[in-house]
Amino acid sequence: MTQPPHDEPTASSPEELREQVEQTRTELGETVEALAAKTDVKARAQEKAAEVKEQAAAKAGELKE
């Protein structure tokens, strides 16, 4: 497994390195969360069903007017 080239320069101090590590952890956490949401088929289906239900109710309301 290879690592992509780094866009940021190497940390010049331990504190700067800690900040970079924390930023990377945050980004990784967000990525994992997004991937987990994509794999939750049941939740995605429920969200889609709720969206369609709202659209149908809105359309029914328009037609009644």
Side-chain angles (χ1 to χ4, degrees), residues 2-62:
T2 60
Q3 293 182 339
H6 297 286
D7 293 339
E8 297 179 18
T10 307
S12 59
S13 70
E15 185 172 319
E16 188 176 334
L17 181 59
R18 285 185 194 98
E19 289 174 8
Q20 289 177 357
V21 167
E22 186 59 35
Q23 178 65 30
T24 301
R25 284 183 180 152
T26 301
E27 291 171 1
L28 181 60
E30 291 170 358
T31 301
V32 168
E33 193 173 303
L35 289 172
K38 283 186 174 186
T39 60
D40 190 352
V41 176
K42 184 177 179 180
R44 290 178 67 195
Q46 289 173 340
E47 289 173 4
K48 184 65 175 176
E51 182 182 319
V52 170
K53 186 177 179 180
E54 284 181 26
Q55 290 174 350
K59 195 65 162 175
E62 288 176 15

